[in-house]
Amino acid sequence: HIANLGKAKETGNNLKKSGQKQLTTGAVQAGIITMGVKLAIDDESSFADVKKTTGLVGAEAEKFRMQLINATKEIPLMNDEIYNIASAAGQAGIKQKELVRFTGDAAVMAVAFDQAAKDSGSTLATWRTAFGMTQNQVITLGDQVNYLANSVNASASDISEVGFNPY
């Protein structure tokens, strides 16, 4: 009987360890699923602003979302940052046919200027409006500002603000 009691304890301990492993695995899997759902909700919420400022709906909006994601694959920004740029562009009146390029250019500028993506989108939109520039012209201006920032002790975002500060 004592031998059976030892085996029963051993079996009980093995079952306990197995159960703990399964609970841990289940908790990790639940966490991954929860994180995925939260990211999807956040993504949809961020893109809602794009739809609101551009007027895109349905399949047209989804096509635009995929164009944005494809155009910015190589740029180290999160989707919500990309959507912030597109939303600002829509609000600034950038034409729909230019939105994907504008968003990609602003995303590249955000990385080059080491600034928030939304700020880069706002800067490009402001330059276009204030100076009456085309997209090619604002990209050339951005390249020049970045070159100047690399040549002197100033940030590209500080240099880009100089033209708009009345003091």
PDB file of all heavy atoms in Angstrom, residues 84-121:
ATOM      1  N   ASN A  84      -2.348  58.837 -39.646  1.00  0.00           N
ATOM      2  CA  ASN A  84      -2.348  60.236 -39.197  1.00  0.00           C
ATOM      3  C   ASN A  84      -1.925  61.172 -40.317  1.00  0.00           C
ATOM      4  O   ASN A  84      -2.481  62.249 -40.487  1.00  0.00           O
ATOM      5  CB  ASN A  84      -1.428  60.427 -37.985  1.00  0.00           C
ATOM      6  CG  ASN A  84      -2.032  59.942 -36.700  1.00  0.00           C
ATOM      7  OD1 ASN A  84      -3.241  59.855 -36.556  1.00  0.00           O
ATOM      8  ND2 ASN A  84      -1.188  59.609 -35.738  1.00  0.00           N
ATOM      9  N   ILE A  85      -0.917  60.757 -41.073  1.00  0.00           N
ATOM     10  CA  ILE A  85      -0.455  61.564 -42.204  1.00  0.00           C
ATOM     11  C   ILE A  85      -1.563  61.668 -43.246  1.00  0.00           C
ATOM     12  O   ILE A  85      -1.884  62.765 -43.725  1.00  0.00           O
ATOM     13  CB  ILE A  85       0.810  60.957 -42.855  1.00  0.00           C
ATOM     14  CG1 ILE A  85       1.990  60.987 -41.881  1.00  0.00           C
ATOM     15  CG2 ILE A  85       1.153  61.699 -44.146  1.00  0.00           C
ATOM     16  CD1 ILE A  85       3.182  60.170 -42.358  1.00  0.00           C
ATOM     17  N   ALA A  86      -2.146  60.540 -43.614  1.00  0.00           N
ATOM     18  CA  ALA A  86      -3.200  60.533 -44.635  1.00  0.00           C
ATOM     19  C   ALA A  86      -4.400  61.367 -44.192  1.00  0.00           C
ATOM     20  O   ALA A  86      -4.995  62.094 -44.996  1.00  0.00           O
ATOM     21  CB  ALA A  86      -3.621  59.104 -44.948  1.00  0.00           C
ATOM     22  N   SER A  87      -4.726  61.287 -42.922  1.00  0.00           N
ATOM     23  CA  SER A  87      -5.840  62.063 -42.387  1.00  0.00           C
ATOM     24  C   SER A  87      -5.548  63.561 -42.472  1.00  0.00           C
ATOM     25  O   SER A  87      -6.397  64.349 -42.893  1.00  0.00           O
ATOM     26  CB  SER A  87      -6.107  61.654 -40.945  1.00  0.00           C
ATOM     27  OG  SER A  87      -7.171  62.390 -40.410  1.00  0.00           O
ATOM     28  N   ALA A  88      -4.338  63.956 -42.081  1.00  0.00           N
ATOM     29  CA  ALA A  88      -3.948  65.371 -42.162  1.00  0.00           C
ATOM     30  C   ALA A  88      -3.956  65.841 -43.614  1.00  0.00           C
ATOM     31  O   ALA A  88      -4.372  66.974 -43.909  1.00  0.00           O
ATOM     32  CB  ALA A  88      -2.562  65.573 -41.544  1.00  0.00           C
ATOM     33  N   ALA A  89      -3.529  64.982 -44.528  1.00  0.00           N
ATOM     34  CA  ALA A  89      -3.519  65.330 -45.950  1.00  0.00           C
ATOM     35  C   ALA A  89      -4.942  65.528 -46.458  1.00  0.00           C
ATOM     36  O   ALA A  89      -5.221  66.485 -47.190  1.00  0.00           O
ATOM     37  CB  ALA A  89      -2.813  64.251 -46.761  1.00  0.00           C
ATOM     38  N   GLY A  90      -5.838  64.632 -46.071  1.00  0.00           N
ATOM     39  CA  GLY A  90      -7.228  64.781 -46.467  1.00  0.00           C
ATOM     40  C   GLY A  90      -7.832  66.057 -45.925  1.00  0.00           C
ATOM     41  O   GLY A  90      -8.548  66.778 -46.626  1.00  0.00           O
ATOM     42  N   GLN A  91      -7.507  66.365 -44.675  1.00  0.00           N
ATOM     43  CA  GLN A  91      -8.017  67.584 -44.048  1.00  0.00           C
ATOM     44  C   GLN A  91      -7.450  68.831 -44.722  1.00  0.00           C
ATOM     45  O   GLN A  91      -8.122  69.852 -44.810  1.00  0.00           O
ATOM     46  CB  GLN A  91      -7.660  67.575 -42.561  1.00  0.00           C
ATOM     47  CG  GLN A  91      -8.382  68.592 -41.744  1.00  0.00           C
ATOM     48  CD  GLN A  91      -8.204  68.332 -40.260  1.00  0.00           C
ATOM     49  OE1 GLN A  91      -7.255  67.693 -39.828  1.00  0.00           O
ATOM     50  NE2 GLN A  91      -9.138  68.833 -39.475  1.00  0.00           N
ATOM     51  N   ALA A  92      -6.220  68.737 -45.230  1.00  0.00           N
ATOM     52  CA  ALA A  92      -5.576  69.872 -45.889  1.00  0.00           C
ATOM     53  C   ALA A  92      -6.041  70.031 -47.338  1.00  0.00           C
ATOM     54  O   ALA A  92      -5.621  70.952 -48.026  1.00  0.00           O
ATOM     55  CB  ALA A  92      -4.059  69.709 -45.853  1.00  0.00           C
ATOM     56  N   GLY A  93      -6.882  69.107 -47.792  1.00  0.00           N
ATOM     57  CA  GLY A  93      -7.414  69.229 -49.135  1.00  0.00           C
ATOM     58  C   GLY A  93      -6.537  68.630 -50.217  1.00  0.00           C
ATOM     59  O   GLY A  93      -6.720  68.925 -51.404  1.00  0.00           O
ATOM     60  N   ILE A  94      -5.584  67.788 -49.839  1.00  0.00           N
ATOM     61  CA  ILE A  94      -4.758  67.114 -50.842  1.00  0.00           C
ATOM     62  C   ILE A  94      -5.683  66.221 -51.665  1.00  0.00           C
ATOM     63  O   ILE A  94      -6.491  65.476 -51.115  1.00  0.00           O
ATOM     64  CB  ILE A  94      -3.636  66.279 -50.184  1.00  0.00           C
ATOM     65  CG1 ILE A  94      -2.760  67.142 -49.266  1.00  0.00           C
ATOM     66  CG2 ILE A  94      -2.796  65.555 -51.233  1.00  0.00           C
ATOM     67  CD1 ILE A  94      -2.029  68.265 -49.927  1.00  0.00           C
ATOM     68  N   LYS A  95      -5.560  66.293 -52.969  1.00  0.00           N
ATOM     69  CA  LYS A  95      -6.433  65.534 -53.856  1.00  0.00           C
ATOM     70  C   LYS A  95      -6.253  64.035 -53.643  1.00  0.00           C
ATOM     71  O   LYS A  95      -5.146  63.561 -53.390  1.00  0.00           O
ATOM     72  CB  LYS A  95      -6.149  65.889 -55.312  1.00  0.00           C
ATOM     73  CG  LYS A  95      -6.512  67.308 -55.647  1.00  0.00           C
ATOM     74  CD  LYS A  95      -6.148  67.626 -57.077  1.00  0.00           C
ATOM     75  CE  LYS A  95      -6.410  69.097 -57.342  1.00  0.00           C
ATOM     76  NZ  LYS A  95      -5.836  69.532 -58.601  1.00  0.00           N
ATOM     77  N   GLN A  96      -7.352  63.311 -53.785  1.00  0.00           N
ATOM     78  CA  GLN A  96      -7.350  61.872 -53.539  1.00  0.00           C
ATOM     79  C   GLN A  96      -6.298  61.142 -54.360  1.00  0.00           C
ATOM     80  O   GLN A  96      -5.625  60.246 -53.857  1.00  0.00           O
ATOM     81  CB  GLN A  96      -8.732  61.298 -53.821  1.00  0.00           C
ATOM     82  CG  GLN A  96      -8.838  59.836 -53.476  1.00  0.00           C
ATOM     83  CD  GLN A  96     -10.235  59.303 -53.702  1.00  0.00           C
ATOM     84  OE1 GLN A  96     -11.196  60.045 -53.770  1.00  0.00           O
ATOM     85  NE2 GLN A  96     -10.343  57.996 -53.815  1.00  0.00           N
ATOM     86  N   LYS A  97      -6.116  61.531 -55.609  1.00  0.00           N
ATOM     87  CA  LYS A  97      -5.142  60.831 -56.458  1.00  0.00           C
ATOM     88  C   LYS A  97      -3.708  61.060 -55.983  1.00  0.00           C
ATOM     89  O   LYS A  97      -2.808  60.314 -56.347  1.00  0.00           O
ATOM     90  CB  LYS A  97      -5.300  61.228 -57.920  1.00  0.00           C
ATOM     91  CG  LYS A  97      -4.959  62.674 -58.210  1.00  0.00           C
ATOM     92  CD  LYS A  97      -5.148  63.006 -59.671  1.00  0.00           C
ATOM     93  CE  LYS A  97      -4.721  64.451 -59.897  1.00  0.00           C
ATOM     94  NZ  LYS A  97      -4.686  64.815 -61.266  1.00  0.00           N
ATOM     95  N   GLU A  98      -3.476  62.068 -55.136  1.00  0.00           N
ATOM     96  CA  GLU A  98      -2.134  62.358 -54.627  1.00  0.00           C
ATOM     97  C   GLU A  98      -1.905  61.849 -53.206  1.00  0.00           C
ATOM     98  O   GLU A  98      -0.795  61.932 -52.695  1.00  0.00           O
ATOM     99  CB  GLU A  98      -1.898  63.876 -54.628  1.00  0.00           C
ATOM    100  CG  GLU A  98      -1.893  64.511 -56.004  1.00  0.00           C
ATOM    101  CD  GLU A  98      -1.660  66.013 -55.893  1.00  0.00           C
ATOM    102  OE1 GLU A  98      -2.554  66.716 -55.399  1.00  0.00           O
ATOM    103  OE2 GLU A  98      -0.575  66.451 -56.284  1.00  0.00           O
ATOM    104  N   LEU A  99      -2.951  61.351 -52.560  1.00  0.00           N
ATOM    105  CA  LEU A  99      -2.864  61.000 -51.140  1.00  0.00           C
ATOM    106  C   LEU A  99      -1.834  59.913 -50.832  1.00  0.00           C
ATOM    107  O   LEU A  99      -1.113  60.010 -49.843  1.00  0.00           O
ATOM    108  CB  LEU A  99      -4.229  60.577 -50.600  1.00  0.00           C
ATOM    109  CG  LEU A  99      -5.217  61.703 -50.325  1.00  0.00           C
ATOM    110  CD1 LEU A  99      -6.578  61.138 -49.958  1.00  0.00           C
ATOM    111  CD2 LEU A  99      -4.709  62.614 -49.225  1.00  0.00           C
ATOM    112  N   VAL A 100      -1.767  58.886 -51.651  1.00  0.00           N
ATOM    113  CA  VAL A 100      -0.828  57.795 -51.377  1.00  0.00           C
ATOM    114  C   VAL A 100       0.602  58.312 -51.475  1.00  0.00           C
ATOM    115  O   VAL A 100       1.424  58.064 -50.590  1.00  0.00           O
ATOM    116  CB  VAL A 100      -1.057  56.596 -52.324  1.00  0.00           C
ATOM    117  CG1 VAL A 100       0.053  55.565 -52.166  1.00  0.00           C
ATOM    118  CG2 VAL A 100      -2.407  55.958 -52.039  1.00  0.00           C
ATOM    119  N   ARG A 101       0.909  59.043 -52.544  1.00  0.00           N
ATOM    120  CA  ARG A 101       2.264  59.578 -52.701  1.00  0.00           C
ATOM    121  C   ARG A 101       2.583  60.565 -51.583  1.00  0.00           C
ATOM    122  O   ARG A 101       3.663  60.526 -50.989  1.00  0.00           O
ATOM    123  CB  ARG A 101       2.433  60.262 -54.053  1.00  0.00           C
ATOM    124  CG  ARG A 101       3.827  60.874 -54.141  1.00  0.00           C
ATOM    125  CD  ARG A 101       4.196  61.418 -55.469  1.00  0.00           C
ATOM    126  NE  ARG A 101       5.546  61.969 -55.343  1.00  0.00           N
ATOM    127  CZ  ARG A 101       5.932  63.050 -55.958  1.00  0.00           C
ATOM    128  NH1 ARG A 101       5.123  63.703 -56.757  1.00  0.00           N
ATOM    129  NH2 ARG A 101       7.156  63.499 -55.789  1.00  0.00           N
ATOM    130  N   PHE A 102       1.654  61.468 -51.295  1.00  0.00           N
ATOM    131  CA  PHE A 102       1.861  62.452 -50.243  1.00  0.00           C
ATOM    132  C   PHE A 102       2.165  61.749 -48.913  1.00  0.00           C
ATOM    133  O   PHE A 102       3.102  62.112 -48.204  1.00  0.00           O
ATOM    134  CB  PHE A 102       0.621  63.337 -50.083  1.00  0.00           C
ATOM    135  CG  PHE A 102       0.739  64.357 -48.993  1.00  0.00           C
ATOM    136  CD1 PHE A 102       1.189  65.628 -49.272  1.00  0.00           C
ATOM    137  CD2 PHE A 102       0.423  64.043 -47.678  1.00  0.00           C
ATOM    138  CE1 PHE A 102       1.328  66.581 -48.266  1.00  0.00           C
ATOM    139  CE2 PHE A 102       0.552  64.969 -46.667  1.00  0.00           C
ATOM    140  CZ  PHE A 102       1.003  66.242 -46.964  1.00  0.00           C
ATOM    141  N   THR A 103       1.375  60.737 -48.600  1.00  0.00           N
ATOM    142  CA  THR A 103       1.556  60.009 -47.339  1.00  0.00           C
ATOM    143  C   THR A 103       2.913  59.321 -47.296  1.00  0.00           C
ATOM    144  O   THR A 103       3.618  59.380 -46.282  1.00  0.00           O
ATOM    145  CB  THR A 103       0.415  58.992 -47.151  1.00  0.00           C
ATOM    146  OG1 THR A 103      -0.835  59.695 -47.169  1.00  0.00           O
ATOM    147  CG2 THR A 103       0.553  58.248 -45.840  1.00  0.00           C
ATOM    148  N   GLY A 104       3.304  58.686 -48.388  1.00  0.00           N
ATOM    149  CA  GLY A 104       4.616  58.037 -48.449  1.00  0.00           C
ATOM    150  C   GLY A 104       5.748  59.040 -48.299  1.00  0.00           C
ATOM    151  O   GLY A 104       6.711  58.801 -47.560  1.00  0.00           O
ATOM    152  N   ASP A 105       5.635  60.181 -48.981  1.00  0.00           N
ATOM    153  CA  ASP A 105       6.665  61.223 -48.882  1.00  0.00           C
ATOM    154  C   ASP A 105       6.765  61.771 -47.459  1.00  0.00           C
ATOM    155  O   ASP A 105       7.861  61.975 -46.932  1.00  0.00           O
ATOM    156  CB  ASP A 105       6.365  62.377 -49.851  1.00  0.00           C
ATOM    157  CG  ASP A 105       6.567  62.009 -51.309  1.00  0.00           C
ATOM    158  OD1 ASP A 105       7.219  60.981 -51.599  1.00  0.00           O
ATOM    159  OD2 ASP A 105       6.063  62.763 -52.179  1.00  0.00           O
ATOM    160  N   ALA A 106       5.619  62.002 -46.839  1.00  0.00           N
ATOM    161  CA  ALA A 106       5.624  62.522 -45.467  1.00  0.00           C
ATOM    162  C   ALA A 106       6.196  61.495 -44.489  1.00  0.00           C
ATOM    163  O   ALA A 106       6.888  61.857 -43.532  1.00  0.00           O
ATOM    164  CB  ALA A 106       4.211  62.925 -45.051  1.00  0.00           C
ATOM    165  N   ALA A 107       5.936  60.220 -44.726  1.00  0.00           N
ATOM    166  CA  ALA A 107       6.486  59.170 -43.863  1.00  0.00           C
ATOM    167  C   ALA A 107       8.009  59.137 -43.969  1.00  0.00           C
ATOM    168  O   ALA A 107       8.717  59.028 -42.965  1.00  0.00           O
ATOM    169  CB  ALA A 107       5.886  57.819 -44.231  1.00  0.00           C
ATOM    170  N   VAL A 108       8.529  59.246 -45.201  1.00  0.00           N
ATOM    171  CA  VAL A 108       9.978  59.287 -45.401  1.00  0.00           C
ATOM    172  C   VAL A 108      10.555  60.519 -44.709  1.00  0.00           C
ATOM    173  O   VAL A 108      11.591  60.453 -44.033  1.00  0.00           O
ATOM    174  CB  VAL A 108      10.323  59.290 -46.911  1.00  0.00           C
ATOM    175  CG1 VAL A 108      11.793  59.608 -47.138  1.00  0.00           C
ATOM    176  CG2 VAL A 108       9.965  57.953 -47.529  1.00  0.00           C
ATOM    177  N   MET A 109       9.862  61.648 -44.851  1.00  0.00           N
ATOM    178  CA  MET A 109      10.320  62.886 -44.218  1.00  0.00           C
ATOM    179  C   MET A 109      10.325  62.763 -42.685  1.00  0.00           C
ATOM    180  O   MET A 109      11.226  63.272 -42.021  1.00  0.00           O
ATOM    181  CB  MET A 109       9.424  64.051 -44.645  1.00  0.00           C
ATOM    182  CG  MET A 109       9.874  65.396 -44.132  1.00  0.00           C
ATOM    183  SD  MET A 109       8.841  66.687 -44.863  1.00  0.00           S
ATOM    184  CE  MET A 109       8.726  67.801 -43.481  1.00  0.00           C
ATOM    185  N   ALA A 110       9.339  62.080 -42.128  1.00  0.00           N
ATOM    186  CA  ALA A 110       9.282  61.891 -40.672  1.00  0.00           C
ATOM    187  C   ALA A 110      10.536  61.184 -40.187  1.00  0.00           C
ATOM    188  O   ALA A 110      11.123  61.560 -39.164  1.00  0.00           O
ATOM    189  CB  ALA A 110       8.037  61.097 -40.282  1.00  0.00           C
ATOM    190  N   VAL A 111      10.959  60.178 -40.917  1.00  0.00           N
ATOM    191  CA  VAL A 111      12.168  59.441 -40.542  1.00  0.00           C
ATOM    192  C   VAL A 111      13.402  60.329 -40.736  1.00  0.00           C
ATOM    193  O   VAL A 111      14.259  60.422 -39.853  1.00  0.00           O
ATOM    194  CB  VAL A 111      12.279  58.132 -41.358  1.00  0.00           C
ATOM    195  CG1 VAL A 111      13.598  57.433 -41.094  1.00  0.00           C
ATOM    196  CG2 VAL A 111      11.107  57.211 -41.037  1.00  0.00           C
ATOM    197  N   ALA A 112      13.488  61.008 -41.877  1.00  0.00           N
ATOM    198  CA  ALA A 112      14.653  61.858 -42.168  1.00  0.00           C
ATOM    199  C   ALA A 112      14.768  63.029 -41.192  1.00  0.00           C
ATOM    200  O   ALA A 112      15.866  63.389 -40.764  1.00  0.00           O
ATOM    201  CB  ALA A 112      14.573  62.388 -43.603  1.00  0.00           C
ATOM    202  N   PHE A 113      13.638  63.633 -40.843  1.00  0.00           N
ATOM    203  CA  PHE A 113      13.629  64.789 -39.946  1.00  0.00           C
ATOM    204  C   PHE A 113      13.614  64.373 -38.478  1.00  0.00           C
ATOM    205  O   PHE A 113      13.695  65.206 -37.601  1.00  0.00           O
ATOM    206  CB  PHE A 113      12.409  65.674 -40.222  1.00  0.00           C
ATOM    207  CG  PHE A 113      12.538  66.593 -41.399  1.00  0.00           C
ATOM    208  CD1 PHE A 113      13.362  66.315 -42.472  1.00  0.00           C
ATOM    209  CD2 PHE A 113      11.804  67.762 -41.442  1.00  0.00           C
ATOM    210  CE1 PHE A 113      13.460  67.172 -43.559  1.00  0.00           C
ATOM    211  CE2 PHE A 113      11.893  68.633 -42.522  1.00  0.00           C
ATOM    212  CZ  PHE A 113      12.716  68.333 -43.579  1.00  0.00           C
ATOM    213  N   ASP A 114      13.457  63.087 -38.211  1.00  0.00           N
ATOM    214  CA  ASP A 114      13.358  62.563 -36.851  1.00  0.00           C
ATOM    215  C   ASP A 114      12.246  63.276 -36.089  1.00  0.00           C
ATOM    216  O   ASP A 114      12.445  63.822 -35.015  1.00  0.00           O
ATOM    217  CB  ASP A 114      14.702  62.696 -36.115  1.00  0.00           C
ATOM    218  CG  ASP A 114      14.729  61.907 -34.821  1.00  0.00           C
ATOM    219  OD1 ASP A 114      14.011  60.890 -34.740  1.00  0.00           O
ATOM    220  OD2 ASP A 114      15.455  62.315 -33.889  1.00  0.00           O
ATOM    221  N   GLN A 115      11.067  63.285 -36.702  1.00  0.00           N
ATOM    222  CA  GLN A 115       9.914  63.935 -36.087  1.00  0.00           C
ATOM    223  C   GLN A 115       8.692  63.042 -36.215  1.00  0.00           C
ATOM    224  O   GLN A 115       8.707  62.053 -36.951  1.00  0.00           O
ATOM    225  CB  GLN A 115       9.659  65.316 -36.688  1.00  0.00           C
ATOM    226  CG  GLN A 115       9.181  65.321 -38.100  1.00  0.00           C
ATOM    227  CD  GLN A 115       8.967  66.716 -38.680  1.00  0.00           C
ATOM    228  OE1 GLN A 115       8.928  66.841 -39.867  1.00  0.00           O
ATOM    229  NE2 GLN A 115       8.846  67.743 -37.901  1.00  0.00           N
ATOM    230  N   ALA A 116       7.654  63.402 -35.501  1.00  0.00           N
ATOM    231  CA  ALA A 116       6.414  62.631 -35.556  1.00  0.00           C
ATOM    232  C   ALA A 116       5.853  62.655 -36.973  1.00  0.00           C
ATOM    233  O   ALA A 116       5.924  63.673 -37.669  1.00  0.00           O
ATOM    234  CB  ALA A 116       5.395  63.206 -34.578  1.00  0.00           C
ATOM    235  N   ALA A 117       5.291  61.538 -37.383  1.00  0.00           N
ATOM    236  CA  ALA A 117       4.746  61.421 -38.734  1.00  0.00           C
ATOM    237  C   ALA A 117       3.690  62.478 -39.005  1.00  0.00           C
ATOM    238  O   ALA A 117       3.673  63.088 -40.077  1.00  0.00           O
ATOM    239  CB  ALA A 117       4.162  60.023 -38.924  1.00  0.00           C
ATOM    240  N   LYS A 118       2.831  62.715 -38.026  1.00  0.00           N
ATOM    241  CA  LYS A 118       1.764  63.711 -38.202  1.00  0.00           C
ATOM    242  C   LYS A 118       2.363  65.096 -38.457  1.00  0.00           C
ATOM    243  O   LYS A 118       1.844  65.864 -39.264  1.00  0.00           O
ATOM    244  CB  LYS A 118       0.853  63.722 -36.978  1.00  0.00           C
ATOM    245  CG  LYS A 118      -0.400  64.512 -37.162  1.00  0.00           C
ATOM    246  CD  LYS A 118      -1.353  64.314 -36.008  1.00  0.00           C
ATOM    247  CE  LYS A 118      -2.683  64.955 -36.320  1.00  0.00           C
ATOM    248  NZ  LYS A 118      -3.698  64.636 -35.338  1.00  0.00           N
ATOM    249  N   ASP A 119       3.467  65.415 -37.770  1.00  0.00           N
ATOM    250  CA  ASP A 119       4.120  66.715 -37.961  1.00  0.00           C
ATOM    251  C   ASP A 119       4.686  66.849 -39.373  1.00  0.00           C
ATOM    252  O   ASP A 119       4.615  67.916 -39.984  1.00  0.00           O
ATOM    253  CB  ASP A 119       5.240  66.922 -36.930  1.00  0.00           C
ATOM    254  CG  ASP A 119       4.709  67.028 -35.506  1.00  0.00           C
ATOM    255  OD1 ASP A 119       3.508  67.323 -35.332  1.00  0.00           O
ATOM    256  OD2 ASP A 119       5.498  66.796 -34.574  1.00  0.00           O
ATOM    257  N   SER A 120       5.242  65.768 -39.903  1.00  0.00           N
ATOM    258  CA  SER A 120       5.766  65.798 -41.272  1.00  0.00           C
ATOM    259  C   SER A 120       4.643  66.010 -42.273  1.00  0.00           C
ATOM    260  O   SER A 120       4.783  66.793 -43.218  1.00  0.00           O
ATOM    261  CB  SER A 120       6.511  64.509 -41.598  1.00  0.00           C
ATOM    262  OG  SER A 120       7.698  64.438 -40.843  1.00  0.00           O
ATOM    263  N   GLY A 121       3.534  65.323 -42.071  1.00  0.00           N
ATOM    264  CA  GLY A 121       2.383  65.513 -42.948  1.00  0.00           C
ATOM    265  C   GLY A 121       1.876  66.940 -42.894  1.00  0.00           C
ATOM    266  O   GLY A 121       1.578  67.555 -43.920  1.00  0.00           O
TER     267      GLY A 121
END
